[in-house]
Amino acid sequence: IGSPLSWFEQVCLCSFVAQGHTVNLFTYSDIGTIPDGVIVRNGREVIDTDVFIKYKNKDSYALFADWFRMRMVERFPGIIWMDIDTYCYRPVTLTDEYVFGNFNGNPHVANGVFSAPSNSELLQNILDFMEDQFPSPPWLSKKARDRFAVAREAGNPIHISEMPWGTWG
C-alpha cells in the first residue's frame, strides 16, 4: 500500500519466482519496481476500498493485511498467502488444502503463510469474527474482555485499531 518495495521484499518475491512458483502481488497503488516474473494485481479484486485499517499506535497496515489475506483466500480457492518478507529456498510442494505458518517452532500459528478451503468452517469463522471492528476476543485476558464489555455497554466500544497487536492476526 503506497510505498516502494524494499530490496529485501524484492529478493523474497524473486525467490519464489526462481523456485518456479506463480507470484501474484496485490497492490492498491503504483509501488515502483516490480521483479520480473511477478504478476501485479489490483488489491480491489479482493477488497474494494480506500480505507486501510492501521493500529492506532503503530504505523503498520498489519490489521488490513490480516483482513486482506483472509478475503484473498476466500475469493481465490487454492491460493496461498505468503507474507512479502518470506524467502523461498526450495519449491513449496503441498498436498493439503490447509496451510499454516509456524514461527521458530512455537505453539502458535503464524498467519504469514496461510491457506484454507474458501468454504471451510475455519475460514468462515475467522471472516465472521473480522466483520466486527469492535470485537471482544475470547482469547484475551478476562481483564481485557471486561474492559471491552464495559466500554461497549457505555456506548464507546473499543475499535480493533486500539486492541493488542495480533488481535486479528
Side-chain angles (χ1 to χ4, degrees):
I1 298 172
S3 61
L5 294 173
S6 70
W7 68 268
F8 183 70
E9 291 166 333
Q10 290 184 44
V11 166
C12 290
L13 289 169
C14 288
S15 74
F16 280 91
V17 172
Q19 295 298 336
H21 295 291
T22 299
V23 178
N24 293 283
L25 177 64
F26 291 90
T27 180
Y28 282 86
S29 61
D30 179 10
I31 56 171
T33 303
I34 306 294
D36 290 342
V38 174
I39 301 164
V40 178
R41 297 180 63 178
N42 190 325
R44 285 174 178 75
E45 290 181 57
V46 177
I47 299 175
D48 189 8
T49 188
D50 290 313
V51 178
F52 307 105
I53 305 167
K54 286 178 143 183
Y55 281 102
K56 185 176 181 181
N57 295 322
K58 294 182 184 263
D59 188 28
S60 169
Y61 290 108
L63 276 170
F64 186 77
D66 290 336
W67 184 35
F68 187 94
R69 88 187 72 223
M70 297 305 161
R71 287 288 175 203
M72 182 196 78
V73 168
E74 177 191 42
R75 177 151 169 106
F76 300 102
I79 200 167
I80 300 171
W81 171 278
M82 298 279 187
D83 276 359
I84 201 167
D85 61 355
T86 303
Y87 185 84
C88 183
Y89 64 93
R90 67 176 179 226
V92 178
T93 54
L94 303 170
T95 57
D96 200 317
E97 294 178 290
Y98 292 89
V99 179
F100 305 100
N102 184 268
F103 186 72
N104 291 337
N106 74 34
H108 303 289
V109 172
N111 72 357
V113 176
F114 179 80
S115 190
S118 60
N119 61 349
S120 67
E121 184 178 357
L122 169 70
L123 185 59
Q124 292 310 309
N125 284 341
I126 293 169
L127 288 168
D128 288 347
F129 178 76
M130 290 178 156
E131 286 299 314
D132 184 0
Q133 290 192 15
F134 302 90
S136 183
W139 54 84
L140 296 180
S141 69
K142 181 173 179 353
K143 182 178 178 180
R145 290 192 319 269
D146 289 347
R147 183 169 61 93
F148 294 154
V150 167
R152 184 182 294 263
E153 288 169 16
N156 299 310
I158 298 172
H159 190 261
I160 188 70
S161 63
E162 298 179 74
M163 292 191 179
W165 181 266
T167 299
W168 272 359

